[in-house]
């Protein structure tokens, strides 16, 4: 397995970024754009997924990284819950809801797989770069 030196190289971060971009675009359209509270909440949750992956990666131990990935996974569930609210308020169609839910669930599975990998890894700290 190749060594990843930047969080931007992580597939889970790239997918979380894509989700955040989709959510942002969705919230700029129609009635969704005027529901400021839900719009703010869902954008914050989507951003939290990618931000926690990034922040955890920059920590010095797998234990710390794991804690941030757990938070990211929780934020991802929050995105799904808010998608249901958006659908209930008729801001997004049933079809769009299913597409977004499927994408979010895939991110959640990949975060879980990464968590499993970290817990089984013999390496408990990140290598320190000498300056």
């Amino acid at each position: 397995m190749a060594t990843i030196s930047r969080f931007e190289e992580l597939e889970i971060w790239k997918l979380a970024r894509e989700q955040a971009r989709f959510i942002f675009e969705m919230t700029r359209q129609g009635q969704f754009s005027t529901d400021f509270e839900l719009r703010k909440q869902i954008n914050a949750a989507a951003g939290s997924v990618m931000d926690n992956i990034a922040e955890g990666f920059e920590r010095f131990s797998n234990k710390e990284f794991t804690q941030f990935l757990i938070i990211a996974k929780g934020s991802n569930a929050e995105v799904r819950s808010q998608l249901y609210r958006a659908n209930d308020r008729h801001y997004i169609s049933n079809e769009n809801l299913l597409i977004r839910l499927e994408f979010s669930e895939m991110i959640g599975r990949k975060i879980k797989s990464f968590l499993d990998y970290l817990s089984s890894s013999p390496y408990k700290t990140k290598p320190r770069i000498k300056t």
Side-chain angles (χ1 to χ4, degrees):
M1 175 182 257
T3 301
I4 294 175
S5 59
R6 301 173 65 232
F7 69 81
E8 294 93 341
E9 299 172 51
L10 292 170
E11 180 188 12
I12 56 174
W13 182 84
K14 291 176 187 177
L15 292 169
R17 181 182 180 203
E18 186 176 343
Q19 176 173 255
R21 189 172 39 246
F22 282 135
I23 294 296
F24 176 73
E25 289 302 323
M26 186 184 333
T27 62
R28 294 178 62 202
Q29 299 176 20
Q31 289 181 302
F32 210 149
S33 67
T34 61
D35 188 335
F36 301 110
E37 184 179 337
L38 181 56
R39 188 174 146 190
K40 181 179 177 181
Q41 286 178 327
I42 195 169
N43 276 297
S48 177
V49 179
M50 61 186 286
D51 294 345
N52 277 292
I53 293 167
E55 186 171 354
F57 183 83
E58 293 294 329
R59 298 298 176 127
F60 288 104
S61 72
N62 283 353
K63 182 178 179 183
E64 287 179 298
F65 192 9
T66 296
Q67 291 170 333
F68 281 91
L69 288 174
I70 290 168
I71 294 166
K73 192 163 175 5
S75 292
N76 191 55
E78 187 178 349
V79 168
R80 287 199 319 275
S81 180
Q82 292 163 352
L83 285 167
Y84 282 108
R85 280 198 293 160
N87 178 257
D88 291 345
R89 295 175 186 183
H90 307 288
Y91 300 158
I92 61 173
S93 67
N94 290 337
E95 180 182 356
N96 201 13
L97 172 68
L98 294 176
I99 291 167
R100 294 291 100 222
L101 290 174
E102 195 173 293
F103 193 81
S104 182
E105 289 169 357
M106 181 260 301
I107 291 171
R109 287 190 303 272
K110 289 186 178 283
I111 292 172
K112 173 68 169 86
S113 293
F114 201 75
L115 282 164
D116 292 345
Y117 163 77
L118 286 179
S119 71
S120 67
S121 173
Y123 305 104
K124 300 303 175 198
T125 61
K126 292 174 64 177
R128 294 185 188 257
I129 298 170
K130 293 183 180 182
T131 56

